[in-house]
Amino acid sequence: MPTAVETPITREKFIDALNEDLSREYQAIIAYVNYSQVLKGAAYMNIADELAVHATEELSHALQVANHIDYLGGMPAVVPKPVKTSEKAEEMLQFDLENEKETIREYRRRIRQADDLNEFAIAESLRNIIVQEQDHLIALATALGIDPPNPGIAD
């Protein structure tokens, strides 16, 4: 079976991919700010407080990614990916869980790309971000009463 020929990452493609990540971080900030304030009920008070903390962590991630984009000679994105909302707490948490899975998958991919470009400091920074993203995934899964899902491996 023939294997797909992988196109090597260029600096420009890497900047574009980081801008997608930045837009995803903006999405996470907005979602966590919103969800932390609208989740109601005793069962969700702990996770609501934790989501407020997640919002500040996502802001830190956005600042780091924007810094990497600037360092590489790009212009940081300013538009978030769309934020899903719901009247149902469980749906909001599920939306967040799916977003965290996607974020982890994409950062895994980005780390490999940074390594391919010999941008080892960026790769290390992204590894630190993944640690917090995985903590977010675990907290959301726990709040939903499920095992943390495997976000998948970067291609």
Side-chain angles (χ1 to χ4, degrees), residues 30-81:
I30 295 166
Y32 283 135
V33 166
N34 179 272
Y35 299 172
S36 71
Q37 300 309 305
V38 302
L39 278 175
K40 303 290 185 240
Y44 298 106
M45 294 320 296
N46 285 344
I47 190 65
D49 290 344
E50 194 159 340
L51 295 181
V53 172
H54 290 186
T56 63
E57 291 171 347
E58 300 292 1
L59 175 58
S60 172
H61 301 167
L63 289 167
Q64 290 173 64
V65 172
N67 178 267
H68 299 323
I69 293 165
D70 179 63
Y71 161 77
L72 292 167
M75 177 59 75
V78 296
V79 178
K81 293 201 171 282

Side-chain angles (χ1 to χ4, degrees), residues 4-142:
V5 177
E6 197 171 311
T7 309
I9 188 78
T10 65
R11 199 172 179 98
E12 292 74 25
K13 287 180 185 174
F14 188 59
I15 290 167
D16 290 344
L18 285 171
N19 264 318
E20 286 293 313
D21 298 331
L22 183 55
S23 290
R24 199 173 299 103
E25 293 293 353
Y26 294 152
Q27 173 194 46
I29 294 164
I30 295 166
Y32 283 135
V33 166
N34 179 272
Y35 299 172
S36 71
Q37 300 309 305
V38 302
L39 278 175
K40 303 290 185 240
Y44 298 106
M45 294 320 296
N46 285 344
I47 190 65
D49 290 344
E50 194 159 340
L51 295 181
V53 172
H54 290 186
T56 63
E57 291 171 347
E58 300 292 1
L59 175 58
S60 172
H61 301 167
L63 289 167
Q64 290 173 64
V65 172
N67 178 267
H68 299 323
I69 293 165
D70 179 63
Y71 161 77
L72 292 167
M75 177 59 75
V78 296
V79 178
K81 293 201 171 282
V83 177
K84 293 181 183 177
T85 58
S86 173
E87 297 292 320
K88 297 177 182 165
E90 197 164 318
E91 282 184 2
M92 286 188 278
L93 295 175
Q94 190 63 47
F95 295 154
D96 269 346
L97 185 69
E98 292 305 315
N99 289 340
E100 290 294 353
K101 283 171 47 180
E102 181 181 3
T103 297
I104 291 168
R105 274 194 308 271
E106 290 301 325
Y107 279 137
R108 287 175 176 176
R109 182 173 294 117
R110 218 65 68 235
I111 288 165
R112 286 185 176 182
Q113 293 167 338
D115 283 343
D116 288 347
L117 290 169
N118 296 317
E119 291 293 350
F120 304 118
I122 292 175
E124 193 62 28
S125 169
L126 297 176
R127 283 182 176 88
N128 290 328
I129 290 173
I130 274 187
V131 170
Q132 287 187 325
E133 299 292 3
Q134 188 166 311
D135 286 345
H136 298 173
L137 180 92
I138 292 166
L140 291 163
T142 301

